[in-house]
């Protein structure tokens, strides 16, 4: 009896996915359990919207007030969409979990591809782990705000208490992300529905509940510019972009589950574009709603004992019980964001370890036989996130830098492959996938790289012009430190990556094209010698299976 058409179609898609992955040099190791909706779900759930806006409202309120919230969001969302479309084009052409650094190596000049892929891989790893840390720190602060509201202000949230809750959140996310792929995939649909319902609920309920004395006129909500710091108004407005840029970021998460997605060459790029577009529109509506309903005491919102301006806005409008009811859902969605980000970060680290570039790659590149998930890289990302969270003990600006790191590190990783695809377009053999920008591709790429380069520099600046050690912006210290250390390892005499790293290592039978896996000149005991033996073992397995 012949299979029904739907079964045949699924089989054909699965075969096409596996064939495309093999052309990119990799065998199918994950289960392809993510449907197109669920691929969209992981990008959209990481964006989070309402809880994300709550986490970074302290960037937009003091740097322009309502005008920055409304129009800063609109301006930034447009450019973020351009970046997303440029990335979507790459994701369609080469949908693999390695994503950004794989594209960098594939489309860069032979002279620079190894170094650039190394830089992108580390920037992406740091950015992804920082995203987990910033999301989960935001969740911890939100939980503390709920406890403060529930205790009528008697509870005091110290950094130690916040860090304890934060560690608990990170550890539970690690446990969740060690589950089987099908369980993780099904959760994404739940995340999407709950996220959208929460946004729509607040957009409708907040204006209805806000007392008339706290409602603002259209001229104030859409036109008032209040600068609480000492930067010039124009630069303050640009600084407010960190709120939308952090909220609508990490959309490369869909790329990192490409090898778990069905019809990846189409599902992944459209997931990126739709997630950004919907987040931009819904996020703008949320900011407009807040601007009309937050009153005019902006300094009071910033100095609130609740620790988050949005929590104070809700408390002023909904009261204690109403705020706790809505805030519980915000915490829930923020928690879901963290689990989705941990999932994406672990897949990216797994892909980078697969190519031997991370320390302890031999241990990190292991698939759990029971869950069919990379459990070791999940715990690697969890440990890195906890380490970044410890910056809270260095002061408020230090932990706030984690939010900026998650943007700047990822923008380094986003910019290089987009630029490489065009800089070396005459020699890299670019072949577009089903999603293509056509004649607009070059324009979008130029705008994307220029925008990300400019904003990355902006986010190295401190909150105010006059600062000290405690209030400095630690973004450049942490990100710069990690990148410098990664380059030091790359150029380390005898053992450095410059001697053995050759980019992505194929796990199918085209090893002749990549001499990295079978080199004989690596010193015994070096990372290269370990990976050499691993490469030979893979090659033996491939030959055996083929015969």
């Amino acid at each position: 009896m012949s299979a029904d058409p739907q079964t045949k179609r699924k089989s054909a898609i699965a075969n096409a996915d596996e064939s495309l992955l093999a052309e990119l040099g990799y065998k199918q190791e994950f289960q392809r359990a993510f449907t197109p909706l669920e691929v969209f779900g992981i990008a959209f759930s990481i964006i989070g919207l309402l809880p994300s806006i709550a986490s970074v409202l302290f960037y937009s309120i003091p740097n322009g007030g309502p005008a920055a919230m409304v129009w800063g969001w609109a301006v930034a969302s447009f450019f973020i969409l351009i970046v997303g479309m440029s990335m979507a084009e790459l994701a369609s052409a080469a949908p693999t979990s390695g994503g950004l650094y794989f594209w960098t190596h594939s489309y860069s000049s032979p002279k620079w591809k190894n170094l650039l892929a190394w830089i992108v891989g580390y920037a992406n790893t740091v950015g992804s782990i920082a995203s987990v840390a910033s999301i989960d720190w935001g969740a911890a602060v939100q939980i503390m705000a709920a406890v403060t509201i529930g205790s009528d202000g008697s509870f005091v949230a110290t950094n130690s208490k916040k860090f304890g809750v934060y560690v608990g959140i990170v550890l539970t996310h690690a446990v969740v992300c060690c589950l089987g792929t099908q369980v993780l995939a099904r959760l994404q649909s739940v995340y999407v529905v709950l996220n959208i319902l929460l946004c729509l609920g607040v957009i409708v309920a907040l204006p209805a509940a806000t007392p008339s004395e706290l409602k603002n006129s259209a001229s104030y909500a859409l036109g008032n510019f209040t600068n609480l710091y000492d930067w010039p108004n124009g630069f303050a407005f640009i600084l407010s972009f960190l709120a939308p840029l952090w909220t609508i970021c990490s959309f490369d998460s869909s790329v990192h589950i490409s090898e778990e997605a069905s019809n990846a060459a189409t599902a992944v790029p459209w997931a990126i574009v739709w997630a950004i577009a919907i987040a931009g529109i819904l996020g703008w509506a949320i900011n407009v709603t807040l601007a009309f309903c937050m009153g005019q005491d902006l300094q009071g919102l910033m100095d609130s004992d609740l620790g988050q301006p949005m929590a104070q806005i809700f408390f002023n409008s909904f009261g204690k019980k109403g705020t706790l009811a809505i805030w519980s859902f915000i915490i829930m969605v923020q928690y879901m964001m963290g689990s989705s980000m941990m999932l994406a970060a672990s897949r990216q680290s797994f892909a980078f370890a697969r190519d031997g570039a991370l320390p302890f790659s031999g241990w990190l590149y292991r698939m759990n036989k029971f869950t069919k998930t990379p459990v070791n890289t999940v715990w690697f990302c969890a440990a890195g996130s906890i380490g970044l969270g410890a910056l809270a003990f260095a002061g408020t600006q230090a932990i706030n830098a984690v939010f900026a790191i998650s943007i700047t590190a990822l923008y380094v990783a986003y910019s290089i492959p987009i630029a490489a695809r065009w800089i070396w377009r005459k020699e890299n053999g670019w072949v577009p996938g089903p999603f293509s920008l056509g004649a607009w591709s070059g324009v979008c790429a130029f705008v994307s790289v220029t925008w990300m380069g400019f904003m990355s520099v902006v986010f190295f600046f401190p909150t105010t012009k006059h600062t000290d050690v405690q209030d400095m912006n630690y973004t450049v210290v942490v990100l710069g430190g990690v990148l410098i250390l990664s380059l030091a390892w790359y150029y380390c005499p005898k053992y450095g990556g410059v001697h053995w790293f050759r980019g992505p290592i194929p796990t199918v039978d085209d090893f002749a094209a990549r001499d990295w896996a079978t080199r004989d000149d690596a010193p015994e005991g070096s990372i290269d010698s370990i990976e050499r033996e691993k490469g030979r073992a893979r090659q033996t397995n491939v030959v055996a299976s083929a015969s």
Side-chain angles (χ1 to χ4, degrees):
M1 187 176 184
S2 61
D4 61 87
Q6 187 173 0
T7 302
K8 288 183 178 179
R9 182 175 180 274
K10 288 183 178 180
S11 178
I13 291 175
N15 290 335
D17 283 329
E18 188 169 346
S19 296
L20 178 55
L21 188 61
E23 290 177 13
L24 299 175
Y26 296 121
K27 63 183 179 181
Q28 187 69 50
E29 296 180 276
F30 290 96
Q31 294 178 327
R32 289 193 180 268
F34 283 79
T35 66
L37 176 61
E38 290 159 350
V39 176
F40 162 79
I42 193 167
F44 191 72
S45 63
I46 288 174
I47 290 173
L49 276 186
L50 189 63
S52 292
I53 294 172
S55 296
V56 290
L57 203 55
F58 64 87
Y59 277 107
S60 53
I61 285 181
N63 287 303
M69 292 166 60
V70 174
W71 304 117
W73 183 280
V75 172
S77 295
F78 171 77
F79 287 103
I80 295 168
L81 182 60
I82 300 298
V83 173
M85 290 192 296
S86 294
M87 182 185 293
E89 193 173 39
L90 290 168
S92 184
T96 174
S97 296
L100 302 165
Y101 83 92
F102 181 93
W103 303 334
T104 300
H105 195 270
S106 298
Y107 301 126
S108 297
S109 163
K111 179 180 178 181
W112 297 104
K113 64 182 181 180
N114 291 336
L115 174 60
L116 290 177
W118 183 277
I119 293 172
V120 168
Y122 272 93
N124 198 10
T125 300
V126 172
S128 296
I129 293 176
S131 294
V132 174
S134 57
I135 291 170
D136 285 0
W137 182 259
V141 173
Q142 289 167 1
I143 291 173
M144 293 293 97
V147 176
T148 302
I149 294 172
S151 66
D152 294 320
S154 62
F155 176 81
V156 178
T158 63
N159 278 340
S160 297
K161 293 174 183 177
K162 292 176 185 176
F163 184 73
V165 173
Y166 167 78
V167 170
I169 293 171
V170 173
L171 294 179
T172 57
H173 280 156
V175 172
V176 170
C177 290
C178 288
L179 300 175
T181 302
Q182 291 188 359
V183 175
L184 296 171
R186 300 297 90 83
L187 287 173
Q188 305 310 314
S189 298
V190 177
Y191 294 175
V192 170
V193 172
L194 187 58
N195 205 341
I196 292 178
L197 288 178
L198 179 62
C199 293
L200 294 177
V202 169
I203 290 172
V204 172
L206 185 60
T210 301
S212 57
E213 62 270 20
L214 292 177
K215 290 183 177 179
N216 295 319
S217 63
S219 60
Y220 181 87
L222 302 179
N224 177 267
F225 191 95
T226 300
N227 184 358
L228 299 181
Y229 296 142
D230 56 0
W231 286 110
N233 287 347
F235 191 70
F237 182 71
I238 295 172
L239 284 174
S240 75
F241 290 172
L242 192 144
L245 263 64
W246 184 83
T247 300
I248 313 178
C249 196
S250 298
F251 40 81
D252 61 309
S253 55
S254 294
V255 175
H256 300 313
I257 61 163
S258 293
E259 295 175 32
E260 300 170 76
S262 176
N263 199 15
T266 299
V268 172
W270 280 111
I272 294 171
V273 172
W274 279 114
I276 295 172
I278 294 174
I281 295 170
L282 267 180
W284 185 79
I286 291 170
N287 276 283
V288 169
T289 303
L290 292 172
F292 272 96
C293 301
M294 67 182 185
Q296 299 184 13
D297 184 10
L298 303 187
Q299 190 65 60
L301 294 177
M302 293 296 297
D303 297 337
S304 169
D305 293 335
L306 301 182
Q308 284 202 331
M310 186 179 286
Q312 188 62 54
I313 293 172
F314 283 3
F315 186 79
N316 293 342
S317 297
F318 295 116
K320 177 180 176 180
K321 292 182 179 179
T323 299
L324 287 175
I326 294 176
W327 205 249
S328 63
F329 285 100
I330 289 178
I331 293 171
M332 192 183 306
V333 173
Q334 182 89 357
Y335 183 87
M336 293 173 177
M337 288 169 56
S339 67
S340 294
M341 191 63 237
M342 180 73 81
L343 173 65
S346 65
R347 272 38 174 187
Q348 189 277 331
S349 298
F350 175 83
F352 205 32
R354 175 171 59 189
D355 299 326
L358 287 175
F360 313 110
S361 287
W363 179 78
L364 291 173
Y365 178 53
R366 292 181 185 176
M367 190 74 71
N368 185 275
K369 295 180 180 179
F370 178 71
T371 63
K372 304 295 183 184
T373 55
V375 171
N376 291 356
T377 54
V378 171
W379 289 105
F380 167 77
C381 293
S385 300
I386 291 173
L388 283 176
L391 286 172
F393 296 107
T396 302
Q397 292 304 321
I399 190 63
N400 287 347
V402 176
F403 289 83
I405 292 168
S406 64
I407 299 173
T408 53
L410 289 178
Y411 273 14
V412 170
Y414 293 177
S415 299
I416 293 177
I418 292 174
R421 172 255 189 276
W422 279 96
I423 292 173
W424 293 290
R425 62 186 179 276
K426 294 182 179 179
E427 55 187 292
N428 59 27
W430 163 260
V431 177
F435 181 96
S436 176
L437 298 175
W440 290 97
S441 180
V443 175
C444 288
F446 177 79
V447 172
S448 297
V449 173
T450 303
W451 165 259
M452 289 187 287
F454 173 70
M455 293 310 304
S456 294
V457 173
V458 167
F459 291 147
F460 289 143
F461 281 78
T463 303
T464 62
K465 287 194 294 184
H466 303 92
T467 188
D468 52 28
V469 173
Q470 187 174 359
D471 293 330
M472 69 171 283
N473 188 334
Y474 284 82
T475 303
V476 68
V477 176
V478 178
L479 177 59
V482 171
L483 292 180
I484 289 172
L485 287 175
S486 70
L487 288 174
W489 182 29
Y490 184 79
Y491 285 111
C492 179
K494 191 175 181 180
Y495 299 108
V498 69
H499 302 292
W500 50 264
F501 182 69
R502 298 293 180 269
I505 306 171
T507 56
V508 292
D509 58 355
D510 63 342
F511 282 86
R514 314 264 188 181
D515 65 347
W516 186 91
T518 55
R519 288 186 59 202
D520 292 314
D521 59 344
E524 289 301 325
S526 69
I527 292 175
D528 192 23
S529 68
I530 295 171
E531 296 300 329
R532 177 191 65 206
E533 296 305 319
K534 186 169 66 176
R536 283 176 171 166
R538 290 183 197 150
Q539 189 171 19
T540 301
N541 291 336
V542 170
V543 172
S545 62
S547 58

